[in-house]
Amino acid sequence: MTKITVQIASLALLIGTVFNANAVTEADTQALQKTFIAEQVKQGFKQQEVEQFLASSSFDQTIIDAISKPWEAKPWHQYYPIFLTDKRLQKGLEFWQENQQTIDKAAKQFNVDPQIIVAIIGIETFYGGYLGNYRVQDALYTLGFHYPPRATFFRSEYANLMSLIKEEKLDNDTLKGSYAGAMGYGQFIPSSYRHYAVDFDGDGRRDLLTSKADAIGSVANYFHQHGWQKGQPVALLLNHTSSTAPKANVWTKEKLHYKVSDILSPTLSLADNQDIDASQAALLIKLDQAESAEYWLGLKNFYVITRYNRSPLYAMAVYQFSQQLNAHHKSVNQHGN
């Protein structure tokens, strides 16, 4: 073997080692399954049914591929055009009109702005048009036992799925959702389904898969439970007049720890002058446009949207879409067409 061949082979081995740094061996999977079985038995499940649930779950490499390339990894100028489209806006206005009574009821009962309910369902599933084609059980099994970066979280969701199937009498063989195991119009993961879903149509079931009313009520309840403040601002555009970075750090999914006064400065001010409580909790958002950065002041309601999805890009897309929906909905109502 020549020297250059040896070097190439060594490089290939090194690349393979790096690529497989998060690889899971069969022994790892068996150990995780053994622990999972024990934990589920403590929760009241019979060992045999847990073993059967595991045996009926399959690894799906396409799920690993999908979670490794999330849309939220794109810069803002490439991300928002995926969601902020005329087609989605028109569909949202139709959905709002068709479900006006239910949306009004949910907004009033849970003290949530109606446009945020409509925006979430539109961003998540295009109003039920894209509910996901992955078998939920396989998605959560794959991520819970074969995706080390977030395996603990997804094993917990896999466990919640077992309980959810029993509680809501779901057919796990036909239960489809996203690559992350989210289901229904609002794409609730199993733990969220169990904790926040409501029977809003009064039929005795919490059906987020086919009941628009239950989905609308459940999204509203989710935001209510996470502290949404109806009628309050969500995010405010800022003017940045300095070549240096703002004094406050850009938000990176941590708990709120800044106040408005910690973020605003002579070189980073509100684009639209208005009175605002400087002592309220806030965060700094940076959006990468094609040629420059755009800064926003995120308030409590923006943070609440990130409880649904931690990405600030996602939250901003939801917020801006909700604004579009609200403006057009008001216009239609005013002109009566």
Side-chain angles (χ1 to χ4, degrees), residues 114-160:
Q115 65 267 22
I116 203 69
I117 303 171
V118 182
I120 284 288
I121 296 175
I123 294 291
E124 288 292 341
T125 63
F126 201 80
Y127 303 101
Y130 307 108
L131 295 173
N133 294 315
Y134 295 94
R135 185 168 177 257
V136 174
Q137 184 177 347
D138 292 344
L140 295 175
Y141 170 78
T142 298
L143 297 173
F145 294 89
H146 299 274
Y147 184 64
R150 298 190 66 195
T152 301
F153 169 78
F154 284 110
R155 277 199 305 279
S156 175
E157 290 303 319
Y158 185 70
N160 271 289

mmCIF file of all heavy atoms in Angstrom, residues 114-160:
data_model
loop_
_atom_site.group_PDB
_atom_site.id
_atom_site.type_symbol
_atom_site.label_atom_id
_atom_site.label_comp_id
_atom_site.label_asym_id
_atom_site.label_seq_id
_atom_site.Cartn_x
_atom_site.Cartn_y
_atom_site.Cartn_z
ATOM 1 N N PRO A 114 -57.655 35.662 19.032
ATOM 2 C CA PRO A 114 -58.064 34.650 18.044
ATOM 3 C C PRO A 114 -57.059 34.442 16.923
ATOM 4 O O PRO A 114 -56.878 33.311 16.444
ATOM 5 C CB PRO A 114 -59.400 35.198 17.515
ATOM 6 C CG PRO A 114 -59.378 36.657 17.826
ATOM 7 C CD PRO A 114 -58.617 36.773 19.114
ATOM 8 N N GLN A 115 -56.391 35.521 16.498
ATOM 9 C CA GLN A 115 -55.474 35.391 15.368
ATOM 10 C C GLN A 115 -54.289 34.476 15.687
ATOM 11 O O GLN A 115 -53.735 33.850 14.784
ATOM 12 C CB GLN A 115 -54.971 36.762 14.903
ATOM 13 C CG GLN A 115 -54.112 37.531 15.896
ATOM 14 C CD GLN A 115 -54.931 38.481 16.766
ATOM 15 O OE1 GLN A 115 -56.133 38.282 16.923
ATOM 16 N NE2 GLN A 115 -54.288 39.518 17.290
ATOM 17 N N ILE A 116 -53.913 34.365 16.958
ATOM 18 C CA ILE A 116 -52.787 33.492 17.298
ATOM 19 C C ILE A 116 -53.196 32.028 17.198
ATOM 20 O O ILE A 116 -52.401 31.161 16.822
ATOM 21 C CB ILE A 116 -52.216 33.827 18.713
ATOM 22 C CG1 ILE A 116 -50.763 33.360 18.821
ATOM 23 C CG2 ILE A 116 -53.030 33.215 19.835
ATOM 24 C CD1 ILE A 116 -49.806 34.155 17.976
ATOM 25 N N ILE A 117 -54.455 31.731 17.503
ATOM 26 C CA ILE A 117 -54.973 30.365 17.349
ATOM 27 C C ILE A 117 -54.949 29.974 15.877
ATOM 28 O O ILE A 117 -54.464 28.901 15.498
ATOM 29 C CB ILE A 117 -56.414 30.256 17.887
ATOM 30 C CG1 ILE A 117 -56.495 30.688 19.340
ATOM 31 C CG2 ILE A 117 -56.946 28.833 17.705
ATOM 32 C CD1 ILE A 117 -57.929 30.806 19.872
ATOM 33 N N VAL A 118 -55.481 30.866 15.036
ATOM 34 C CA VAL A 118 -55.554 30.594 13.599
ATOM 35 C C VAL A 118 -54.146 30.493 12.997
ATOM 36 O O VAL A 118 -53.883 29.629 12.151
ATOM 37 C CB VAL A 118 -56.369 31.693 12.888
ATOM 38 C CG1 VAL A 118 -56.479 31.389 11.393
ATOM 39 C CG2 VAL A 118 -57.767 31.807 13.502
ATOM 40 N N ALA A 119 -53.243 31.334 13.450
ATOM 41 C CA ALA A 119 -51.878 31.327 12.922
ATOM 42 C C ALA A 119 -51.159 30.020 13.237
ATOM 43 O O ALA A 119 -50.495 29.441 12.368
ATOM 44 C CB ALA A 119 -51.090 32.502 13.479
ATOM 45 N N ILE A 120 -51.287 29.551 14.468
ATOM 46 C CA ILE A 120 -50.608 28.307 14.870
ATOM 47 C C ILE A 120 -51.043 27.133 14.010
ATOM 48 O O ILE A 120 -50.217 26.369 13.489
ATOM 49 C CB ILE A 120 -50.880 28.003 16.364
ATOM 50 C CG1 ILE A 120 -50.038 28.909 17.263
ATOM 51 C CG2 ILE A 120 -50.594 26.531 16.686
ATOM 52 C CD1 ILE A 120 -48.553 28.570 17.284
ATOM 53 N N ILE A 121 -52.351 26.966 13.842
ATOM 54 C CA ILE A 121 -52.849 25.832 13.068
ATOM 55 C C ILE A 121 -52.422 25.948 11.608
ATOM 56 O O ILE A 121 -52.132 24.956 10.942
ATOM 57 C CB ILE A 121 -54.382 25.721 13.210
ATOM 58 C CG1 ILE A 121 -54.748 25.430 14.672
ATOM 59 C CG2 ILE A 121 -54.952 24.636 12.292
ATOM 60 C CD1 ILE A 121 -56.242 25.426 14.964
ATOM 61 N N GLY A 122 -52.331 27.189 11.113
ATOM 62 C CA GLY A 122 -51.882 27.397 9.744
ATOM 63 C C GLY A 122 -50.419 27.097 9.542
ATOM 64 O O GLY A 122 -50.024 26.464 8.550
ATOM 65 N N ILE A 123 -49.581 27.546 10.464
ATOM 66 C CA ILE A 123 -48.144 27.288 10.377
ATOM 67 C C ILE A 123 -47.837 25.807 10.569
ATOM 68 O O ILE A 123 -46.990 25.235 9.877
ATOM 69 C CB ILE A 123 -47.369 28.119 11.428
ATOM 70 C CG1 ILE A 123 -47.470 29.626 11.125
ATOM 71 C CG2 ILE A 123 -45.913 27.691 11.515
ATOM 72 C CD1 ILE A 123 -46.744 30.083 9.885
ATOM 73 N N GLU A 124 -48.537 25.178 11.503
ATOM 74 C CA GLU A 124 -48.246 23.783 11.840
ATOM 75 C C GLU A 124 -48.670 22.796 10.750
ATOM 76 O O GLU A 124 -47.889 21.912 10.392
ATOM 77 C CB GLU A 124 -48.931 23.412 13.161
ATOM 78 C CG GLU A 124 -48.290 24.041 14.392
ATOM 79 C CD GLU A 124 -46.906 23.494 14.670
ATOM 80 O OE1 GLU A 124 -46.561 22.416 14.167
ATOM 81 O OE2 GLU A 124 -46.149 24.160 15.401
ATOM 82 N N THR A 125 -49.894 22.921 10.255
ATOM 83 C CA THR A 125 -50.407 21.883 9.345
ATOM 84 C C THR A 125 -51.156 22.415 8.127
ATOM 85 O O THR A 125 -51.839 21.663 7.454
ATOM 86 C CB THR A 125 -51.350 20.930 10.097
ATOM 87 O OG1 THR A 125 -52.499 21.678 10.560
ATOM 88 C CG2 THR A 125 -50.663 20.268 11.265
ATOM 89 N N PHE A 126 -51.047 23.721 7.854
ATOM 90 C CA PHE A 126 -51.806 24.301 6.744
ATOM 91 C C PHE A 126 -53.284 23.927 6.887
ATOM 92 O O PHE A 126 -53.929 23.485 5.974
ATOM 93 C CB PHE A 126 -51.260 23.844 5.393
ATOM 94 C CG PHE A 126 -51.631 24.764 4.247
ATOM 95 C CD1 PHE A 126 -50.933 25.936 4.037
ATOM 96 C CD2 PHE A 126 -52.683 24.453 3.408
ATOM 97 C CE1 PHE A 126 -51.282 26.792 2.992
ATOM 98 C CE2 PHE A 126 -53.047 25.307 2.377
ATOM 99 C CZ PHE A 126 -52.353 26.483 2.157
ATOM 100 N N TYR A 127 -53.769 24.097 8.095
ATOM 101 C CA TYR A 127 -55.182 23.876 8.437
ATOM 102 C C TYR A 127 -55.639 22.446 8.165
ATOM 103 O O TYR A 127 -56.719 22.199 7.630
ATOM 104 C CB TYR A 127 -56.054 24.915 7.716
ATOM 105 C CG TYR A 127 -55.596 26.296 8.087
ATOM 106 C CD1 TYR A 127 -54.788 27.039 7.231
ATOM 107 C CD2 TYR A 127 -55.874 26.827 9.339
ATOM 108 C CE1 TYR A 127 -54.294 28.289 7.603
ATOM 109 C CE2 TYR A 127 -55.378 28.075 9.727
ATOM 110 C CZ TYR A 127 -54.596 28.789 8.857
ATOM 111 O OH TYR A 127 -54.101 29.996 9.234
ATOM 112 N N GLY A 128 -54.763 21.523 8.558
ATOM 113 C CA GLY A 128 -55.084 20.106 8.421
ATOM 114 C C GLY A 128 -54.668 19.506 7.102
ATOM 115 O O GLY A 128 -54.854 18.301 6.882
ATOM 116 N N GLY A 129 -54.057 20.304 6.235
ATOM 117 C CA GLY A 129 -53.642 19.803 4.927
ATOM 118 C C GLY A 129 -52.403 18.935 4.975
ATOM 119 O O GLY A 129 -52.216 18.053 4.130
ATOM 120 N N TYR A 130 -51.563 19.172 5.981
ATOM 121 C CA TYR A 130 -50.322 18.407 6.106
ATOM 122 C C TYR A 130 -50.167 17.944 7.560
ATOM 123 O O TYR A 130 -49.512 18.602 8.362
ATOM 124 C CB TYR A 130 -49.123 19.262 5.694
ATOM 125 C CG TYR A 130 -49.256 19.896 4.326
ATOM 126 C CD1 TYR A 130 -49.471 21.257 4.194
ATOM 127 C CD2 TYR A 130 -49.179 19.116 3.170
ATOM 128 C CE1 TYR A 130 -49.604 21.851 2.940
ATOM 129 C CE2 TYR A 130 -49.313 19.698 1.916
ATOM 130 C CZ TYR A 130 -49.528 21.063 1.801
ATOM 131 O OH TYR A 130 -49.655 21.631 0.565
ATOM 132 N N LEU A 131 -50.768 16.827 7.866
ATOM 133 C CA LEU A 131 -50.753 16.325 9.245
ATOM 134 C C LEU A 131 -49.535 15.458 9.554
ATOM 135 O O LEU A 131 -49.298 15.118 10.707
ATOM 136 C CB LEU A 131 -52.034 15.535 9.531
ATOM 137 C CG LEU A 131 -53.325 16.350 9.494
ATOM 138 C CD1 LEU A 131 -54.547 15.432 9.622
ATOM 139 C CD2 LEU A 131 -53.338 17.382 10.606
ATOM 140 N N GLY A 132 -48.773 15.116 8.539
ATOM 141 C CA GLY A 132 -47.591 14.275 8.739
ATOM 142 C C GLY A 132 -47.827 12.853 8.288
ATOM 143 O O GLY A 132 -48.918 12.307 8.482
ATOM 144 N N ASN A 133 -46.797 12.247 7.722
ATOM 145 C CA ASN A 133 -46.920 10.881 7.197
ATOM 146 C C ASN A 133 -46.079 9.862 7.945
ATOM 147 O O ASN A 133 -45.998 8.706 7.526
ATOM 148 C CB ASN A 133 -46.529 10.869 5.712
ATOM 149 C CG ASN A 133 -47.499 11.671 4.862
ATOM 150 O OD1 ASN A 133 -48.707 11.547 5.023
ATOM 151 N ND2 ASN A 133 -46.963 12.500 3.968
ATOM 152 N N TYR A 134 -45.461 10.297 9.049
ATOM 153 C CA TYR A 134 -44.640 9.364 9.822
ATOM 154 C C TYR A 134 -45.504 8.654 10.856
ATOM 155 O O TYR A 134 -46.349 9.282 11.505
ATOM 156 C CB TYR A 134 -43.515 10.105 10.539
ATOM 157 C CG TYR A 134 -42.500 10.740 9.625
ATOM 158 C CD1 TYR A 134 -42.618 12.077 9.235
ATOM 159 C CD2 TYR A 134 -41.415 10.008 9.144
ATOM 160 C CE1 TYR A 134 -41.683 12.672 8.407
ATOM 161 C CE2 TYR A 134 -40.473 10.593 8.310
ATOM 162 C CZ TYR A 134 -40.614 11.931 7.938
ATOM 163 O OH TYR A 134 -39.694 12.512 7.107
ATOM 164 N N ARG A 135 -45.299 7.387 11.022
ATOM 165 C CA ARG A 135 -45.979 6.652 12.094
ATOM 166 C C ARG A 135 -45.436 7.170 13.419
ATOM 167 O O ARG A 135 -44.226 7.121 13.661
ATOM 168 C CB ARG A 135 -45.730 5.156 11.952
ATOM 169 C CG ARG A 135 -46.493 4.272 12.934
ATOM 170 C CD ARG A 135 -46.404 2.822 12.512
ATOM 171 N NE ARG A 135 -47.073 1.941 13.467
ATOM 172 C CZ ARG A 135 -46.451 1.183 14.371
ATOM 173 N NH1 ARG A 135 -45.114 1.190 14.419
ATOM 174 N NH2 ARG A 135 -47.124 0.412 15.209
ATOM 175 N N VAL A 136 -46.315 7.722 14.259
ATOM 176 C CA VAL A 136 -45.879 8.395 15.485
ATOM 177 C C VAL A 136 -45.076 7.460 16.377
ATOM 178 O O VAL A 136 -44.042 7.851 16.936
ATOM 179 C CB VAL A 136 -47.095 8.966 16.250
ATOM 180 C CG1 VAL A 136 -46.653 9.527 17.602
ATOM 181 C CG2 VAL A 136 -47.772 10.058 15.431
ATOM 182 N N GLN A 137 -45.525 6.248 16.527
ATOM 183 C CA GLN A 137 -44.817 5.285 17.381
ATOM 184 C C GLN A 137 -43.391 5.066 16.890
ATOM 185 O O GLN A 137 -42.448 5.037 17.688
ATOM 186 C CB GLN A 137 -45.573 3.958 17.404
ATOM 187 C CG GLN A 137 -44.959 2.915 18.336
ATOM 188 C CD GLN A 137 -45.768 1.634 18.390
ATOM 189 O OE1 GLN A 137 -46.908 1.596 17.931
ATOM 190 N NE2 GLN A 137 -45.196 0.590 18.940
ATOM 191 N N ASP A 138 -43.216 4.944 15.588
ATOM 192 C CA ASP A 138 -41.880 4.722 15.031
ATOM 193 C C ASP A 138 -41.006 5.966 15.161
ATOM 194 O O ASP A 138 -39.807 5.869 15.422
ATOM 195 C CB ASP A 138 -41.985 4.314 13.560
ATOM 196 C CG ASP A 138 -42.616 2.942 13.373
ATOM 197 O OD1 ASP A 138 -42.690 2.185 14.363
ATOM 198 O OD2 ASP A 138 -43.045 2.643 12.240
ATOM 199 N N ALA A 139 -41.611 7.128 14.980
ATOM 200 C CA ALA A 139 -40.848 8.375 15.095
ATOM 201 C C ALA A 139 -40.268 8.529 16.494
ATOM 202 O O ALA A 139 -39.082 8.811 16.668
ATOM 203 C CB ALA A 139 -41.747 9.565 14.758
ATOM 204 N N LEU A 140 -41.120 8.331 17.499
ATOM 205 C CA LEU A 140 -40.662 8.509 18.880
ATOM 206 C C LEU A 140 -39.716 7.393 19.314
ATOM 207 O O LEU A 140 -38.777 7.629 20.080
ATOM 208 C CB LEU A 140 -41.869 8.602 19.812
ATOM 209 C CG LEU A 140 -42.749 9.838 19.574
ATOM 210 C CD1 LEU A 140 -43.989 9.783 20.449
ATOM 211 C CD2 LEU A 140 -41.965 11.119 19.840
ATOM 212 N N TYR A 141 -39.938 6.192 18.815
ATOM 213 C CA TYR A 141 -39.022 5.086 19.116
ATOM 214 C C TYR A 141 -37.648 5.378 18.511
ATOM 215 O O TYR A 141 -36.621 5.249 19.191
ATOM 216 C CB TYR A 141 -39.568 3.774 18.560
ATOM 217 C CG TYR A 141 -38.557 2.639 18.622
ATOM 218 C CD1 TYR A 141 -38.317 1.970 19.822
ATOM 219 C CD2 TYR A 141 -37.827 2.271 17.497
ATOM 220 C CE1 TYR A 141 -37.369 0.951 19.891
ATOM 221 C CE2 TYR A 141 -36.883 1.266 17.551
ATOM 222 C CZ TYR A 141 -36.653 0.607 18.754
ATOM 223 O OH TYR A 141 -35.706 -0.385 18.823
ATOM 224 N N THR A 142 -37.644 5.784 17.254
ATOM 225 C CA THR A 142 -36.374 6.063 16.566
ATOM 226 C C THR A 142 -35.576 7.143 17.295
ATOM 227 O O THR A 142 -34.376 6.979 17.551
ATOM 228 C CB THR A 142 -36.653 6.510 15.115
ATOM 229 O OG1 THR A 142 -37.301 5.445 14.403
ATOM 230 C CG2 THR A 142 -35.360 6.889 14.408
ATOM 231 N N LEU A 143 -36.236 8.229 17.650
ATOM 232 C CA LEU A 143 -35.544 9.338 18.304
ATOM 233 C C LEU A 143 -35.225 9.034 19.771
ATOM 234 O O LEU A 143 -34.236 9.524 20.308
ATOM 235 C CB LEU A 143 -36.386 10.612 18.203
ATOM 236 C CG LEU A 143 -36.619 11.105 16.769
ATOM 237 C CD1 LEU A 143 -37.605 12.262 16.754
ATOM 238 C CD2 LEU A 143 -35.304 11.511 16.113
ATOM 239 N N GLY A 144 -36.061 8.245 20.408
ATOM 240 C CA GLY A 144 -35.859 7.923 21.815
ATOM 241 C C GLY A 144 -34.770 6.904 22.078
ATOM 242 O O GLY A 144 -34.158 6.895 23.152
ATOM 243 N N PHE A 145 -34.510 6.059 21.076
ATOM 244 C CA PHE A 145 -33.535 4.993 21.282
ATOM 245 C C PHE A 145 -32.355 5.030 20.305
ATOM 246 O O PHE A 145 -31.412 4.263 20.446
ATOM 247 C CB PHE A 145 -34.230 3.625 21.185
ATOM 248 C CG PHE A 145 -35.214 3.373 22.293
ATOM 249 C CD1 PHE A 145 -36.542 3.755 22.160
ATOM 250 C CD2 PHE A 145 -34.810 2.793 23.493
ATOM 251 C CE1 PHE A 145 -37.455 3.545 23.181
ATOM 252 C CE2 PHE A 145 -35.716 2.581 24.525
ATOM 253 C CZ PHE A 145 -37.046 2.962 24.371
ATOM 254 N N HIS A 146 -32.409 5.955 19.345
ATOM 255 C CA HIS A 146 -31.349 5.989 18.331
ATOM 256 C C HIS A 146 -30.871 7.399 17.995
ATOM 257 O O HIS A 146 -30.164 7.581 17.008
ATOM 258 C CB HIS A 146 -31.828 5.296 17.047
ATOM 259 C CG HIS A 146 -32.170 3.858 17.226
ATOM 260 N ND1 HIS A 146 -31.238 2.851 17.135
ATOM 261 C CD2 HIS A 146 -33.362 3.254 17.512
ATOM 262 C CE1 HIS A 146 -31.831 1.675 17.352
ATOM 263 N NE2 HIS A 146 -33.113 1.899 17.576
ATOM 264 N N TYR A 147 -31.251 8.385 18.816
ATOM 265 C CA TYR A 147 -30.830 9.767 18.546
ATOM 266 C C TYR A 147 -30.319 10.386 19.842
ATOM 267 O O TYR A 147 -31.037 11.108 20.533
ATOM 268 C CB TYR A 147 -32.009 10.571 17.981
ATOM 269 C CG TYR A 147 -31.653 11.978 17.572
ATOM 270 C CD1 TYR A 147 -30.739 12.217 16.539
ATOM 271 C CD2 TYR A 147 -32.231 13.078 18.209
ATOM 272 C CE1 TYR A 147 -30.408 13.512 16.156
ATOM 273 C CE2 TYR A 147 -31.910 14.381 17.832
ATOM 274 C CZ TYR A 147 -31.001 14.588 16.813
ATOM 275 O OH TYR A 147 -30.677 15.865 16.436
ATOM 276 N N PRO A 148 -29.063 10.095 20.208
ATOM 277 C CA PRO A 148 -28.496 10.525 21.493
ATOM 278 C C PRO A 148 -28.679 11.996 21.870
ATOM 279 O O PRO A 148 -28.901 12.297 23.052
ATOM 280 C CB PRO A 148 -27.015 10.155 21.353
ATOM 281 C CG PRO A 148 -27.015 8.994 20.425
ATOM 282 C CD PRO A 148 -28.090 9.287 19.421
ATOM 283 N N PRO A 149 -28.595 12.955 20.923
ATOM 284 C CA PRO A 149 -28.706 14.361 21.345
ATOM 285 C C PRO A 149 -29.975 14.689 22.127
ATOM 286 O O PRO A 149 -29.962 15.556 22.996
ATOM 287 C CB PRO A 149 -28.660 15.120 20.010
ATOM 288 C CG PRO A 149 -27.850 14.242 19.116
ATOM 289 C CD PRO A 149 -28.264 12.849 19.486
ATOM 290 N N ARG A 150 -31.097 14.013 21.810
ATOM 291 C CA ARG A 150 -32.348 14.317 22.507
ATOM 292 C C ARG A 150 -33.108 13.042 22.884
ATOM 293 O O ARG A 150 -34.334 13.029 22.996
ATOM 294 C CB ARG A 150 -33.234 15.212 21.632
ATOM 295 C CG ARG A 150 -32.618 16.553 21.320
ATOM 296 C CD ARG A 150 -33.613 17.477 20.676
ATOM 297 N NE ARG A 150 -34.695 17.828 21.601
ATOM 298 C CZ ARG A 150 -35.841 18.394 21.216
ATOM 299 N NH1 ARG A 150 -36.045 18.657 19.943
ATOM 300 N NH2 ARG A 150 -36.762 18.689 22.100
ATOM 301 N N ALA A 151 -32.363 11.965 23.075
ATOM 302 C CA ALA A 151 -32.991 10.673 23.326
ATOM 303 C C ALA A 151 -33.835 10.651 24.601
ATOM 304 O O ALA A 151 -34.926 10.065 24.624
ATOM 305 C CB ALA A 151 -31.921 9.583 23.386
ATOM 306 N N THR A 152 -33.352 11.277 25.659
ATOM 307 C CA THR A 152 -34.086 11.265 26.927
ATOM 308 C C THR A 152 -35.461 11.901 26.768
ATOM 309 O O THR A 152 -36.472 11.376 27.237
ATOM 310 C CB THR A 152 -33.296 12.005 28.023
ATOM 311 O OG1 THR A 152 -32.029 11.369 28.199
ATOM 312 C CG2 THR A 152 -34.055 11.979 29.343
ATOM 313 N N PHE A 153 -35.492 13.043 26.085
ATOM 314 C CA PHE A 153 -36.760 13.735 25.845
ATOM 315 C C PHE A 153 -37.718 12.866 25.037
ATOM 316 O O PHE A 153 -38.893 12.710 25.392
ATOM 317 C CB PHE A 153 -36.505 15.051 25.104
ATOM 318 C CG PHE A 153 -37.761 15.705 24.582
ATOM 319 C CD1 PHE A 153 -38.589 16.414 25.434
ATOM 320 C CD2 PHE A 153 -38.101 15.594 23.243
ATOM 321 C CE1 PHE A 153 -39.755 17.014 24.955
ATOM 322 C CE2 PHE A 153 -39.258 16.196 22.752
ATOM 323 C CZ PHE A 153 -40.088 16.903 23.614
ATOM 324 N N PHE A 154 -37.233 12.281 23.959
ATOM 325 C CA PHE A 154 -38.122 11.509 23.093
ATOM 326 C C PHE A 154 -38.528 10.170 23.697
ATOM 327 O O PHE A 154 -39.616 9.665 23.404
ATOM 328 C CB PHE A 154 -37.487 11.328 21.714
ATOM 329 C CG PHE A 154 -37.565 12.567 20.865
ATOM 330 C CD1 PHE A 154 -36.420 13.299 20.564
ATOM 331 C CD2 PHE A 154 -38.784 13.023 20.395
ATOM 332 C CE1 PHE A 154 -36.496 14.452 19.794
ATOM 333 C CE2 PHE A 154 -38.878 14.179 19.627
ATOM 334 C CZ PHE A 154 -37.735 14.893 19.323
ATOM 335 N N ARG A 155 -37.699 9.590 24.572
ATOM 336 C CA ARG A 155 -38.152 8.381 25.288
ATOM 337 C C ARG A 155 -39.298 8.732 26.227
ATOM 338 O O ARG A 155 -40.233 7.940 26.406
ATOM 339 C CB ARG A 155 -36.998 7.741 26.069
ATOM 340 C CG ARG A 155 -36.133 6.843 25.237
ATOM 341 C CD ARG A 155 -35.298 5.883 26.089
ATOM 342 N NE ARG A 155 -34.493 6.560 27.089
ATOM 343 C CZ ARG A 155 -33.323 7.147 26.846
ATOM 344 N NH1 ARG A 155 -32.841 7.140 25.607
ATOM 345 N NH2 ARG A 155 -32.637 7.727 27.804
ATOM 346 N N SER A 156 -39.231 9.926 26.818
ATOM 347 C CA SER A 156 -40.320 10.382 27.670
ATOM 348 C C SER A 156 -41.603 10.543 26.853
ATOM 349 O O SER A 156 -42.695 10.165 27.301
ATOM 350 C CB SER A 156 -39.940 11.711 28.328
ATOM 351 O OG SER A 156 -41.022 12.235 29.066
ATOM 352 N N GLU A 157 -41.468 11.081 25.645
ATOM 353 C CA GLU A 157 -42.646 11.227 24.776
ATOM 354 C C GLU A 157 -43.157 9.865 24.313
ATOM 355 O O GLU A 157 -44.371 9.666 24.160
ATOM 356 C CB GLU A 157 -42.294 12.102 23.571
ATOM 357 C CG GLU A 157 -42.068 13.558 23.917
ATOM 358 C CD GLU A 157 -43.269 14.188 24.618
ATOM 359 O OE1 GLU A 157 -44.408 13.909 24.214
ATOM 360 O OE2 GLU A 157 -43.055 14.953 25.589
ATOM 361 N N TYR A 158 -42.257 8.937 24.093
ATOM 362 C CA TYR A 158 -42.631 7.568 23.719
ATOM 363 C C TYR A 158 -43.435 6.920 24.845
ATOM 364 O O TYR A 158 -44.442 6.250 24.615
ATOM 365 C CB TYR A 158 -41.347 6.781 23.439
ATOM 366 C CG TYR A 158 -41.521 5.376 22.925
ATOM 367 C CD1 TYR A 158 -41.993 5.126 21.643
ATOM 368 C CD2 TYR A 158 -41.163 4.290 23.722
ATOM 369 C CE1 TYR A 158 -42.108 3.823 21.168
ATOM 370 C CE2 TYR A 158 -41.271 2.989 23.253
ATOM 371 C CZ TYR A 158 -41.752 2.752 21.972
ATOM 372 O OH TYR A 158 -41.865 1.467 21.510
ATOM 373 N N ALA A 159 -43.003 7.187 26.077
ATOM 374 C CA ALA A 159 -43.739 6.679 27.243
ATOM 375 C C ALA A 159 -45.106 7.351 27.334
ATOM 376 O O ALA A 159 -46.124 6.685 27.613
ATOM 377 C CB ALA A 159 -42.935 6.933 28.518
ATOM 378 N N ASN A 160 -45.147 8.655 27.105
ATOM 379 C CA ASN A 160 -46.419 9.373 27.118
ATOM 380 C C ASN A 160 -47.352 8.865 26.034
ATOM 381 O O ASN A 160 -48.577 8.843 26.215
ATOM 382 C CB ASN A 160 -46.187 10.879 26.930
ATOM 383 C CG ASN A 160 -45.977 11.608 28.242
ATOM 384 O OD1 ASN A 160 -46.898 11.772 29.026
ATOM 385 N ND2 ASN A 160 -44.744 12.025 28.496
#
